[in-house]
Amino acid sequence: MSSSASLLRSTLVSLRRLDSQTPHTFTIPIKRINDGADVSSFLSSKAYVQIMTFLLQLNASLYPRIVHSGGSSEEKVQAWELDSPDIKFSEAVIRLRELLRKLESIIDEAPPDPGPRRFGNMSFRKWFEIVESRLPSLLAECLPDALAIEYAEPQTVKAQDELMAYLIGAFGSAQRLDYGTGHELSFLAFLACVWMLGGFPQSEPGVEERGIVFGVIEPYVSTSPGIRTFLPRKTVSDLHAMHYRYLNLIRRLIKTYTLEPAGSHGVWGLDDHSFQPYIFGSAQLCPPISLLDQLSSEGSLFGAPDPDGIAKAAIVHRERKRNMYFSAVGFIYDVKNGPFWEHSPYLFDISGVRGGWAKINKVGIPHPTIPTREYDLRVVQGMIKMYNAEVLSKFPVVQHFPFGSLFSWDRDPNAQPPAPSTHTSSQPMKSPSATSLETKDSVRRLTQEEIRAPWVSATHLPTPTPQTAAPWASRPSATALTATTRIRATEPKRNGEQPLGAPWANQRSPALLPAAGGEMRTITGSATSKSDGNTIMPTRAPWVEKSIEDQDRV
């Protein structure tokens, strides 16, 4: 097993907590990301640093450890499974689980409307309204420590108001009847807010973080049959053995109200609804480390299932009780049918990685020349890099993320401009800039002046003929006319009106035309004469040849 010299520095740095002795001014979080340019600003903001720091902090806590038991030199590997008895749950974690239990019980108060629904069940909006009305009291009951903070005077916005903005956004959209990775991100932000407010107790590195992941995020799956039947529910402390977790609530909401995938990722996303379980689940199966300054770049935990096991239903059914990665894949099996490679091609491709689970999770090694920042995406790969590209850098995903005093929109002083990529360069624009307007004007001028047929241009127009004649109606010559040519003459003026003759019949100079019988006639400005001097009537339409010949015989 190869191990790296040092771990990414962000895994050694925890998300900073607010000073409980310093008054803090809270604000109502508001929407800041309105177009593609705002996504680049977000990737350089303080909020982005905090999100990545907290995500990597939770990720690092799940690596298996090499421990020494009883002070002896004998080494033992400590892996963290979903039903591991060595995971400790603090009172804050238990209270959050109680909050989720109460939110899940509201589903029974808003049963789904009967009948099939293709685009979501409307009863989800009723559930959402009930949650909104009860959330203030539920937060006050379940998070007393996080809300007990000194306020700057006068203070109209409370910590509870800022927490609610992230928690209410973590259950899907009542308007669109969907759920996706943006809502999952909102719940991660909610947990980070509780952390910054001091809602979680301080402990040894990784202990409280594991309790958050396994006690709040991932549903607990007991391997002991009947445990839910015989455990009492009288006290909050007994809830640590129950299944109430965030993902359990979300999966029940999806199946109860048939919530659509937000953004309609379908088979082109890693998962229709979630991403974080794949990050944490792959960390569970990485090779063990003795300290946080060691990390393997490749390999897997001894006895871990191979990555390609996700395509085998029997392996998924067995491992979903112990691992978050397989638990998320197991939910895909619950809601989808057909070949795995067909409905989940991204996960199927990842299952072919030969470097093991460490390469799938993969947090890299910082270069000495990299500025001292709490993280840098140039040294992270695998799931975390993909999360940055597919979630945090996508406008449809982060556009509804709100920013307040805890997650600030202000630019991070150590931030570097995000590297150009297909994700950041293909974002939608809300309003065109002056440059784009100028470009549009130039395209419009090009369309009117240059992109036109050559014969329409003023420099290519043929010489105009008198009286707007058609281009092919140029003055005829005697040699070019045939025997079928008919005489055109103008009608006499009537009441001051212009003659009604054809344009080519009003010529200023005489021309010889062959008449019926082979005689030549001279065309004048107003009439046509025979060569013998007899005057004929004005020219009629070409199809009255019969009447013209009759006049010639007279």
Side-chain angles (χ1 to χ4, degrees):
M1 177 184 67
S2 63
S3 71
S4 61
S6 62
L7 185 63
L8 184 65
R9 196 168 73 89
S10 62
T11 60
L12 302 176
V13 178
S14 298
L15 187 63
R16 293 173 183 157
R17 303 171 187 260
L18 296 180
D19 186 0
S20 59
Q21 304 300 323
T22 303
H24 182 81
T25 302
F26 293 93
T27 59
I28 298 294
I30 60 175
K31 177 182 173 68
R32 295 278 191 175
I33 302 177
N34 299 307
D35 56 24
D38 294 335
V39 175
S40 298
S41 300
F42 165 63
L43 296 177
S44 302
S45 67
K46 293 181 179 179
Y48 178 67
V49 176
Q50 294 169 312
I51 291 172
M52 287 299 300
T53 300
F54 192 61
L55 178 67
L56 294 174
Q57 179 183 341
L58 299 179
N59 182 74
S61 70
L62 302 179
Y63 296 137
R65 298 292 195 272
I66 299 177
V67 297
H68 299 276
S69 58
S72 63
S73 59
E74 182 181 357
E75 293 183 346
K76 176 184 176 182
V77 174
Q78 175 67 69
W80 311 109
E81 298 181 350
L82 295 181
D83 57 351
S84 175
D86 298 321
I87 300 175
K88 300 178 181 180
F89 300 123
S90 66
E91 186 68 17
V93 170
I94 295 174
R95 288 185 176 275
L96 280 174
R97 202 177 313 160
E98 171 69 3
L99 170 64
L100 295 172
R101 184 191 70 81
K102 292 184 177 181
L103 293 177
E104 185 173 345
S105 65
I106 300 178
I107 297 178
D108 299 329
E109 302 179 33
D113 294 337
R117 295 288 189 277
R118 172 61 181 89
F119 296 106
N121 197 291
M122 301 294 288
S123 292
F124 177 68
R125 294 176 179 173
K126 181 181 179 181
W127 178 89
F128 201 89
E129 291 175 359
I130 299 176
V131 170
E132 279 186 309
S133 63
R134 298 182 187 177
L135 206 53
S137 60
L138 290 176
L139 284 176
E141 176 186 350
C142 299
L143 296 175
D145 296 335
L147 302 181
I149 188 170
E150 293 290 333
Y151 295 102
E153 297 294 344
Q155 182 77 264
T156 57
V157 180
K158 307 296 183 180
Q160 174 180 295
D161 301 325
E162 196 154 343
L163 283 174
M164 282 185 57
Y166 297 102
L167 183 57
I168 197 62
F171 306 120
S173 171
Q175 179 183 5
R176 298 181 301 273
L177 302 177
D178 61 12
Y179 175 88
T181 51
H183 305 106
E184 180 189 56
L185 171 64
S186 187
F187 188 74
L188 180 71
F190 166 74
L191 295 176
C193 287
V194 176
W195 180 280
M196 288 187 284
L197 292 173
F200 296 109
Q202 296 185 7
S203 58
E204 295 181 6
V207 174
E208 190 65 20
E209 289 88 340
R210 282 190 294 272
I212 293 173
V213 175
F214 293 147
V216 180
I217 298 177
E218 178 64 26
Y220 178 85
V221 181
S222 175
T223 56
S224 301
I227 188 171
R228 292 185 57 192
T229 304
F230 299 104
L231 279 178
R233 300 190 185 183
K234 295 181 180 180
T235 61
V236 175
S237 59
D238 290 329
L239 291 172
H240 73 279
M242 309 310 294
H243 72 288
Y244 300 111
R245 307 292 195 276
Y246 170 69
L247 287 178
N248 185 83
L249 169 61
I250 292 304
R251 290 166 186 173
R252 186 177 173 188
L253 289 174
I254 292 172
K255 291 192 291 186
T256 301
Y257 301 112
T258 59
L259 299 182
E260 289 289 303
S264 298
H265 276 206
V267 299
W268 304 116
L270 182 65
D271 190 318
D272 283 352
H273 302 100
S274 300
F275 198 112
Q276 295 171 21
Y278 299 100
I279 298 177
F280 301 143
S282 59
Q284 287 179 262
L285 300 175
C286 286
I289 58 175
S290 58
L291 297 172
L292 282 178
D293 60 352
Q294 297 176 346
L295 181 66
S296 298
S297 59
E298 292 187 358
S300 300
L301 176 69
F302 179 77
D306 292 334
D308 59 5
I310 63 174
K312 302 172 184 177
I315 296 179
V316 172
H317 179 72
R318 181 191 69 206
E319 297 297 331
R320 68 184 300 179
K321 303 176 183 179
R322 297 179 289 197
N323 180 264
M324 294 182 66
Y325 196 103
F326 283 87
S327 177
V329 173
F331 181 69
I332 295 178
Y333 277 95
D334 293 341
V335 297
K336 289 188 177 183
N337 298 317
F340 187 83
W341 59 267
E342 187 175 89
H343 58 65
S344 301
Y346 274 24
L347 288 173
F348 183 78
D349 290 343
I350 294 173
S351 69
V353 173
R354 298 305 177 191
W357 290 106
K359 190 170 185 179
I360 293 176
N361 182 264
K362 200 167 185 181
V363 178
I365 308 171
H367 193 273
T369 60
I370 292 179
T372 56
R373 196 183 183 198
E374 294 182 0
Y375 73 95
D376 196 301
L377 289 177
R378 290 176 295 178
V379 294
V380 296
Q381 303 290 329
M383 282 292 172
I384 297 176
K385 184 176 181 180
M386 187 177 181
Y387 185 79
N388 175 77
E390 298 296 332
V391 177
L392 300 181
S393 299
K394 288 289 186 68
F395 173 78
V397 178
V398 299
Q399 61 175 323
H400 301 295
F401 188 86
F403 298 85
S405 66
L406 298 177
F407 284 101
S408 174
W409 179 251
D410 296 339
R411 180 180 176 83
D412 177 56
N414 297 321
Q416 298 179 0
S421 66
T422 56
H423 301 88
T424 57
S425 61
S426 60
Q427 305 286 3
M429 299 299 295
K430 179 182 178 182
S431 58
S433 60
T435 304
S436 61
L437 286 175
E438 182 179 354
T439 304
K440 287 185 177 181
D441 288 341
S442 62
V443 173
R444 179 182 54 80
R445 288 193 297 271
L446 183 65
T447 302
Q448 292 182 354
E449 299 178 6
E450 298 184 27
I451 306 180
R452 55 172 58 176
W455 55 84
V456 181
S457 174
T459 58
H460 296 87
L461 285 176
T463 303
T465 58
Q467 305 203 2
T468 63
W472 56 82
S474 57
R475 180 176 299 179
S477 60
T479 57
L481 297 176
T482 63
T484 59
T485 304
R486 295 295 172 256
I487 301 173
R488 301 294 183 264
T490 59
E491 294 285 348
K493 295 182 179 181
R494 294 174 294 185
N495 299 328
E497 296 180 357
Q498 293 295 326
L500 302 177
W504 55 83
N506 190 17
Q507 307 294 338
R508 297 298 180 185
S509 58
L512 294 177
L513 296 176
E519 300 181 25
M520 297 303 295
R521 302 174 182 180
T522 303
I523 298 178
T524 61
S526 58
T528 305
S529 302
K530 284 186 180 182
S531 59
D532 59 359
N534 297 329
T535 302
I536 65 174
M537 298 298 293
T539 306
R540 291 172 173 80
W543 54 82
V544 292
E545 178 182 358
K546 183 71 174 176
S547 59
I548 295 177
E549 294 178 353
D550 292 341
Q551 291 182 12
D552 292 337
R553 295 191 188 96
V554 177

